[in-house]
Amino acid sequence: MKPGAIFAEHYRVLSQLGVGGMGEVYLVENVRLGRREALKLLHTTGDDEAVARFEREARTAARLGHPSIADIYHYGTTTAADRGSPWSTSRA
């Protein structure tokens, strides 16, 4: 994703923060709320187990509410055309 691109209808990509073996992290602006967030996008190739694990991680982190754990604001899955990759946003 390039800076300026819109992701999931209301996240504007500002820059890429990192890339790893499992995915990418971007600095985005939530245009609806006017705040900066970190967007984590998992690379998958139809791996249902990886998607389920990512969703469990997002739900668990969202419930914990600890200063050393990023607050999860939202999570979802890209369209099938984009390989159905899971993503989440958190405090930047």
Side-chain angles (χ1 to χ4, degrees), residues 7-79:
F7 181 85
E9 299 181 18
H10 60 278
Y11 297 102
R12 179 178 294 116
V13 176
L14 301 176
S15 64
Q16 186 177 62
L17 297 175
V19 179
M22 295 294 293
E24 304 171 22
V25 179
Y26 295 90
L27 177 63
V28 297
E29 177 187 11
N30 182 323
V31 296
R32 290 184 181 171
L33 299 176
R35 72 176 172 201
R36 290 183 172 200
E37 300 177 13
L39 170 72
K40 181 179 180 180
L41 178 63
L42 188 67
H43 297 298
T44 64
T45 55
D47 185 346
D48 292 338
E49 184 178 326
V51 171
R53 188 170 52 246
F54 187 87
E55 290 179 355
R56 281 193 307 272
E57 174 189 303
R59 288 184 181 136
T60 300
R63 286 193 304 265
L64 293 176
H66 188 277
S68 296
I69 299 173
D71 294 328
I72 301 298
Y73 296 138
H74 191 214
Y75 79 92
T77 305
T78 62
T79 64

